[in-house]
Amino acid sequence: MNAHFSFGPATGIGSMPGGDAREAAKTVTGSFEDFPYLAELPARGPGADMIGRTAGLLVELYARVEPSGWRIGDHPGRDTRRARSWLGEDLDALEEFTQGYEGPLKVQAVGPWTLAANLELKNGEAALSDPGACRDLAASLMEGLRQHLAETQRRVPGAQLVLQLDEPSLTAVLRGRVRTASGYRTHRAVDRQIVEATLRDVVRVHDGGPVVVHSCAPDVPFALLRRAGAAAVSFDFSLLTERDDDAIGEAVEGGTRLFAGVVPGTETALSDPAGSVMGVRTLWRRLGLQPGLLAEAVTVTPACGLAGASPAYARQALAHCVRAARSLADNPE
């Protein structure tokens, strides 16, 4: 990653409420003038959801909706077409509201392990159950991401693209907690070195650009993600425990950026912006890190996607992230 890349002080995670691509793009670009992102609108239905949207990016692998979830099939069907058509709509809207934009711009896709845990093979079991299927899936995802990044760059030529890989199932994959189709057993834990090597391959797809890995699950494997090449880690700040202190301290000192999810993703009364980042300041003191590093090391985000929020709350939450980031920069102590 080039050393002079600068992330914005605040951004969102990905999903937004509602089904209107133009409205979402307008809200996101209006809220985050220096770090917008490509909004996702899962309320539109299958294919706009996280797994379906990324399944639509896959190259030479196709998936369709079954009652149990997304299943890999032999040829593109209407579910694939729908996923691709919605992504096209979202890119059109983003392009319209980023005319002349220069700076960081984030696009999100599901990472290889959460995809393997949530996509079914023909026998109904997760792709995770078959090492060969996991490899094929990762290779197909890499090719799809290359094309998606190139297409986004073509539409917003001045953007410095940031790729976010959503990996909420990663900890469950590492700990053998992903349930089998019957629900009575769990899939075996995947070897940490294999998990890391696959992630490293996928991260490398964004040649020259930074990759952020997002998980709003507890016990985010910070050290593993850093070794795999993630430039930043995005997480729900409220789920941190003191057990995470060492890993976070090492990450910050090693130059990894923290996307701190401090603003609740669902309806709640928001405290003052300074109150939202109080926990971040406390963590900094506890770790003995320089207060001056705060604004350089932290991007403020919601705790998770905003698909479950009302449109009014989503707008409020994004504006709150911007104000909270400003408070961190102005008063790091």
Side-chain angles (χ1 to χ4, degrees):
M1 191 186 94
N2 56 29
H4 60 263
F5 185 91
S6 74
F7 292 97
T11 191
I13 298 298
S15 68
M16 293 286 285
D20 183 336
R22 289 187 75 251
E23 189 54 41
K26 188 176 164 189
T27 300
V28 166
T29 54
S31 305
F32 299 117
E33 289 167 12
D34 36 22
F35 198 180
Y37 60 95
L38 179 62
E40 301 165 17
L41 302 171
R44 293 183 291 201
D49 60 302
M50 189 168 100
I51 298 296
R53 187 178 178 87
T54 299
L57 291 176
L58 297 175
V59 172
E60 290 176 13
L61 270 183
Y62 309 100
R64 60 175 190 274
V65 181
E66 296 288 338
S68 54
W70 285 88
R71 183 170 295 184
I72 294 171
D74 295 322
H75 48 81
R78 62 158 197 257
D79 297 322
T80 302
R81 284 194 295 275
R82 193 184 292 138
R84 289 177 178 171
S85 143
W86 274 325
L87 179 60
E89 242 177 71
D90 295 335
L91 283 165
D92 288 345
L94 181 73
E95 183 177 359
E96 180 184 342
F97 289 101
T98 50
Q99 295 291 315
Y101 174 73
E102 291 182 2
L105 169 70
K106 184 164 70 70
V107 296
Q108 305 83 218
V110 176
W113 294 108
T114 296
L115 207 54
N118 289 278
L119 270 185
E120 299 171 0
L121 301 171
K122 295 187 181 70
N123 64 6
E125 282 300 349
L128 191 64
S129 62
D130 176 342
C134 289
R135 284 193 295 272
D136 291 349
L137 196 52
S140 170
L141 175 64
M142 285 159 65
E143 198 42 54
L145 287 173
R146 264 187 208 103
Q147 294 179 9
H148 180 42
L149 288 162
E151 172 64 11
T152 310
Q153 192 74 70
R154 189 181 66 72
R155 289 165 175 265
V156 193
Q160 296 169 303
L161 295 183
V162 176
L163 171 62
Q164 174 179 310
L165 296 173
D166 291 318
E167 282 284 16
S169 304
L170 184 59
T171 303
V173 166
L174 287 165
R175 298 197 175 169
R177 290 189 188 150
V178 177
R179 295 209 164 277
T180 55
S182 69
Y184 295 122
R185 294 186 309 108
T186 53
H187 293 288
R188 273 204 306 272
V190 181
D191 180 283
R192 292 184 82 86
Q193 284 173 314
I194 292 175
V195 169
E196 188 183 316
T198 302
L199 277 168
R200 187 177 299 114
D201 287 344
V202 178
V203 164
R204 279 198 192 125
V205 160
H206 188 22
D207 186 30
V211 175
V212 48
V213 179
H214 168 72
S215 168
C216 43
D219 297 322
V220 174
F222 286 94
L224 182 147
L225 295 176
R226 285 180 55 219
R227 287 195 306 270
V233 181
S234 164
F235 55 96
D236 177 343
F237 193 84
S238 70
L239 298 177
L240 286 186
T241 67
E242 297 205 3
R243 278 204 314 268
D244 296 305
D245 277 9
D246 288 349
I248 288 189
E250 282 167 22
V252 172
E253 283 170 351
T256 305
R257 194 172 183 92
L258 305 180
F259 280 43
V262 295
V263 178
T266 46
E267 238 63 20
T268 181
L270 294 171
S271 70
D272 67 308
S276 298
V277 285
M278 199 161 65
V280 181
R281 290 197 182 91
T282 307
L283 170 71
W284 231 244
R285 276 199 297 275
R286 206 167 66 221
L287 295 176
L289 294 165
Q290 294 293 323
L293 265 181
L294 259 176
E296 281 172 44
V298 175
T299 292
V300 176
T301 71
C304 219
L306 295 168
S310 69
Y313 177 78
R315 280 194 298 275
Q316 208 184 334
L318 298 186
H320 195 84
C321 288
V322 172
R323 287 199 294 270
R326 199 167 299 141
S327 150
L328 263 191
D330 294 346
N331 318 301
E333 298 291 345

